[in-house]
Amino acid sequence: MVLPCVSQWGRLERNDDVVMRRTDPAGLEVFLPHTERDDWAAHGYRSREEYLFWSRKVCGLACLQSLLHGWTDVRLSMGELLTQALKWGCYVVEPSGAVQGLIYRPFMAWVSARFGFDCRLVERTPIDVSAREVRPGQVLFASVSPEIRDPATPEPCRGGHLVLVHAVHGGVVRFHNPSGYTHNSDSATLPMRVFQRFHADRGILITRPS
């Protein structure tokens, strides 16, 4: 079954409005300059402010929503998924307002218990190794830099964003990017050596329920 591409910003066409800006050699600011009501209300957010705060951080939940729509009959809005993820400790909001997450182990426990997915943590593993496990019914949530939407980016950061790797053939990685541009979000392709430039050598292998 085909896995749909889900935007973390609500609608795929909104992705082109997203701005990514380097703040320092190791820092990256990601934000949406403006929004409309349906970008939050239609996706289960309680307010515009909640949408603007969390839409920058829910790439992993967008990948999860893709699996739910492709593998199950479960239909939950982004707001509903976020509420559950917070209850399970998948994100931790610090007093300063900074957010830790997506935190892998609580996320794995949640999606295993709630949706029946089998999850396996991948650490210190380059993409040419972890990609061997990608097959029909098994995907990789790969930690990459958000800058992967611009593959020519020199000396990119590594990690900080999740994409859904759903196929690997002939040294080419095919993935859904929740915050890519409209032309390279849905089943984007990159040579493995280019993908590796952005990859943090960690992620989660997730298997479809039997």
Side-chain angles (χ1 to χ4, degrees):
M1 185 177 292
V2 175
L3 297 174
C5 180
V6 176
S7 167
Q8 70 189 77
W9 305 96
R11 291 182 288 122
L12 190 58
E13 56 267 32
R14 296 291 285 158
N15 286 25
D16 290 340
D17 296 329
V18 174
V19 175
M20 296 184 185
R21 184 167 57 206
R22 281 287 183 99
T23 55
D24 57 63
L28 186 66
E29 182 182 40
V30 181
F31 65 98
L32 189 64
H34 57 85
T35 187
E36 301 165 359
R37 178 179 173 82
D38 65 349
D39 283 321
W40 57 267
H43 297 281
Y45 291 101
R46 294 171 295 183
S47 68
R48 178 178 181 271
E49 290 70 28
E50 184 180 60
Y51 165 76
L52 290 172
F53 181 81
W54 282 106
S55 58
R56 295 175 296 153
K57 302 170 176 66
V58 293
C59 48
L61 298 186
C63 292
L64 172 61
Q65 204 166 49
S66 177
L67 298 187
L68 294 176
H69 285 209
W71 287 352
T72 78
D73 294 326
V74 177
R75 298 294 181 266
L76 295 171
S77 70
M78 186 61 75
E80 291 169 320
L81 286 176
L82 177 60
T83 296
Q84 292 191 25
L86 287 166
K87 287 181 179 178
W88 278 81
C90 304
Y91 298 95
V92 175
V93 183
E94 300 175 350
S96 65
V99 176
Q100 297 181 28
L102 184 81
I103 304 173
Y104 288 178
R105 286 182 173 83
F107 176 80
M108 293 164 62
W110 168 44
V111 300
S112 296
R114 176 68 176 81
F115 307 117
F117 296 157
D118 181 62
C119 301
R120 178 154 53 98
L121 186 63
V122 175
E123 297 180 291
R124 297 179 293 279
T125 306
I127 189 63
D128 64 320
V129 176
S130 55
R132 298 171 192 168
E133 303 294 328
V134 176
R135 59 180 67 94
Q138 183 160 284
V139 300
L140 174 69
F141 282 21
S143 177
V144 299
S145 168
E147 297 166 302
I148 199 167
R149 74 198 309 233
D150 292 303
T153 300
E155 300 182 4
C157 302
R158 299 181 70 194
H161 177 60
L162 288 170
V163 298
L164 174 57
V165 177
H166 60 85
V168 181
H169 298 292
V172 175
V173 181
R174 184 175 294 273
F175 59 100
H176 292 330
N177 182 359
S179 69
Y181 297 109
T182 50
H183 71 270
N184 66 357
S185 283
D186 191 344
S187 286
T189 58
L190 285 177
M192 199 172 291
R193 59 179 175 76
V194 176
F195 190 95
Q196 181 61 45
R197 294 178 58 239
F198 301 87
H199 187 36
D201 293 349
R202 61 179 180 267
I204 308 170
L205 282 165
I206 302 182
T207 303
R208 180 179 182 174
S210 56

